[in-house]
Amino acid sequence: MASPNVIVFGPTGAVGSNAARTASALGAKVTLAMRDTSKSIPGLSASDEKAGNFSRVQADLTKPDTVSEAVRQYQATHAFIYLVFGSSDSMKATISALKSAGIQLVV
């Protein structure tokens, strides 16, 4: 069975960075979806990032078009997301964007 392509939103936070590192340790190709791709990832050095199966992409869970583009660009099938408080539609558009772009599993 092929390793999944995982997109992790919020990898600069404690939980998101742990999810990204764990997915990589389990053999997944990991896309780090970030509003600011220049930020560092806690627990992941630049050399470890380059040596592992990590890619960075600019995406924002409050902008569903960036979410679907990132998922399609990196052919992700699994996603790790966080709750965006104050979302006008309770993230319905974002979840729809994930699903329509090919995500099969969301954590």
Side-chain angles (χ1 to χ4, degrees):
M1 183 161 129
S3 297
N5 286 352
V6 177
I7 188 165
V8 176
F9 290 87
T12 60
V15 176
S17 66
N18 196 353
R21 289 181 280 117
T22 299
S24 177
L26 293 172
K29 179 180 174 188
V30 179
T31 300
L32 306 166
M34 313 163 67
R35 289 182 297 230
D36 179 356
T37 58
S38 67
K39 282 187 163 184
S40 63
I41 310 295
L44 183 63
S45 69
S47 60
D48 287 343
E49 185 176 339
K50 287 181 182 181
N53 279 328
F54 296 98
S55 302
R56 289 181 180 226
V57 65
Q58 194 286 322
D60 185 337
L61 286 173
T62 66
K63 298 176 182 172
D65 57 322
T66 67
V67 170
S68 60
E69 177 59 30
V71 170
R72 284 188 181 102
Q73 181 180 352
Y74 288 91
Q75 300 176 341
T77 56
H78 296 66
F80 177 88
I81 66 172
Y82 58 90
L83 178 63
V84 177
F85 292 100
S87 171
S88 62
D89 68 348
S90 301
M91 295 184 63
K92 184 176 180 178
T94 299
I95 299 299
S96 293
L98 288 165
K99 185 177 177 182
S100 68
I103 293 296
Q104 300 167 6
L105 176 71
V106 176
V107 175

